[in-house]
Structure formats: structure tokens, C-alpha cells
Amino acid sequence: MKTLIIVAHPQLAASATQQFLQASAAPLTNVTWHALPESLDPAAEQALLFGADRIVLQFPLYWYAAPAALKAWLDTVWQAHLVDTARGGRLRGKQLGLVVSLGQPAAAFQLGGAVGVSLSTLLAPYAALARRTGMTLLPPLPIAQFSYQTEEAHQRLLVRYQQYLTAASQHFADRQAWWQARLAQAPPEQAALAEYVANQAEEYERLQDTLRELKAEDDG
């Protein structure tokens, strides 16, 4: 599987979040990090787009929306006669992911929170985009207040981000398979430590899945 990360950030070099994510993605195979240039070449951008199996849009949330550069890229590159399922359908069957950095706590994005609406509501246009182009939308990966996170949280984020880019899907079983593949590649002297870390991460992910299910039941 080939993953293309489309990075839209007006101050990329100054962003600690984006620099961390770029370093986290660097050792991965079949993953392309593509920061949007100021001047777009539609044909070159489309070649990258159509050559990927998973396309991840990565951006900070500014005033509850993506930076203008991402909208300009979509308008210029996602030409209807190529990507609309009723016409070209060149994106049909691909996966669409969203990695969104937030300047406020995750708890702010809910009814009664500081923002007052959910992140899913703010990102709803991408669900419509995926539906229109025949893509499978992955659950978004939000990153809240990166600079205030602990080193332990950063390590969990590194693993979760690499999984988001390369695991077959975002279901627990596939994330677990991702861990097993990494364990198989670990040097013998590191295998015991790697297995312990994997078990801890799996337990953490299992708890997170349970919390999401409970929250969905409460919201329903």
C-alpha cells in the first residue's frame, strides 16, 4: 500500500507538530510526505494523487477550517472530470484520512465545550468529498495541543501516527497485526522490550476503543 500525506500548513518550518510528524513518517516505506508548494502544477499533483492507495490530508484547524492552501489544492487538483464517480472516478476505492492538529483541548470539541460542536461536524465536508469520489473515509486522527503533551504522549502519538499511515485499516485487529509485524523485525536483544511496549500500546488502544464505543452509545 502506498500512502500520500498532503501537508497544508502556512508556517511548516515553525510548527513543532508538523516537524514531529515528518520525523515520525521518515523511516516508513511507501509513504510520501508532500508539503503543498505555493505554485501548483496540476498534472504533477494528480500523478502523486492517483499513484497512492491512501491519501492523508494533514493540516491545523484554523478558525474551525483547514488552511486556504488545502482548499486551493482541492479546487485545482481534484478536477471533476477526473475524480467525480459519475465521470472520471480516478479516486474510487482509495482511502481518505485526516490528521488534524488542534490548538484547543479535545474536550472543547463537543456540546457544552468551549467550541460547542464536535470535530466530526467541522470535518463533515470531507465525508461528502469521500462519498462523491467513491473513497473510503478513515476515522480522523486529531492531535490536540501537541506542545503541551508529555513525552509519553508523544511516544504514543508516534506509534499511532505510523499506524494511521501504514496499517491495513484503523480497526483494532489490523493495528494489532501492525504491532506483530514490527515485533517480528525487532533485533533479538530488543524483542522482550518491544513486546512489552506492544502489549501496553494494545491495552491502551483497547481502552480507547471501549471509551469511544461508550461515548457513541451516550450520544445515541
Side-chain angles (χ1 to χ4, degrees):
M1 180 181 69
K2 295 181 179 179
T3 298
L4 172 65
I5 312 168
I6 298 296
V7 184
H9 197 294
Q11 296 178 313
L12 188 59
S15 170
T17 307
Q18 297 303 322
Q19 296 305 310
F20 176 88
L21 295 178
Q22 185 173 15
S24 301
L28 302 176
T29 57
N30 294 319
V31 172
T32 300
W33 172 283
H34 180 59
L36 292 182
E38 291 185 9
S39 178
L40 293 172
D41 178 345
E45 297 292 322
Q46 288 162 359
L48 286 172
L49 193 64
F50 299 147
D53 304 299
R54 177 176 296 169
I55 298 156
V56 175
L57 306 182
Q58 187 167 296
F59 55 90
L61 203 65
Y62 286 165
W63 286 108
Y64 316 116
L70 183 60
K71 180 62 165 61
W73 179 79
L74 289 168
D75 289 344
T76 303
V77 178
W78 290 46
Q79 297 174 9
H81 70 283
L82 294 174
V83 304
D84 193 326
T85 53
R87 300 163 76 177
R90 294 284 299 275
L91 298 179
R92 185 194 300 271
K94 298 181 184 294
Q95 297 178 342
L96 179 64
L98 303 170
V99 176
V100 185
S101 53
L102 311 172
Q104 293 176 277
F109 295 86
Q110 60 182 333
L111 292 178
V115 176
V117 296
S118 69
L119 187 60
S120 293
T121 299
L122 295 174
L123 298 178
Y126 298 99
L129 189 68
R131 190 177 302 110
R132 182 69 177 266
T133 56
M135 302 180 74
T136 299
L137 182 65
L138 302 177
L141 175 59
I143 303 172
Q145 296 186 301
F146 174 83
S147 296
Y148 293 99
Q149 292 182 13
T150 64
E151 182 61 29
E152 181 181 356
H154 286 170
Q155 292 303 313
R156 286 200 300 267
L157 173 59
L158 183 150
V159 171
R160 186 70 189 91
Y161 182 62
Q162 290 188 342
Q163 287 179 327
Y164 197 81
L165 299 179
T166 60
S169 79
Q170 300 310 301
H171 298 303
F172 179 77
D174 285 321
R175 297 203 304 269
Q176 189 175 38
W178 182 93
W179 264 117
Q180 294 302 321
R182 295 303 182 277
L183 285 173
Q185 299 170 6
E189 65 274 13
Q190 298 178 10
L193 176 60
E195 184 172 6
Y196 171 78
V197 172
N199 290 337
Q200 295 300 307
E202 288 174 8
E203 181 62 24
Y204 176 79
E205 294 290 349
R206 187 180 294 109
L207 289 171
Q208 289 292 95
D209 287 341
T210 300
L211 289 173
R212 280 191 286 269
E213 291 172 3
L214 292 172
K215 185 176 184 303
E217 292 175 2
D218 290 342
D219 292 344

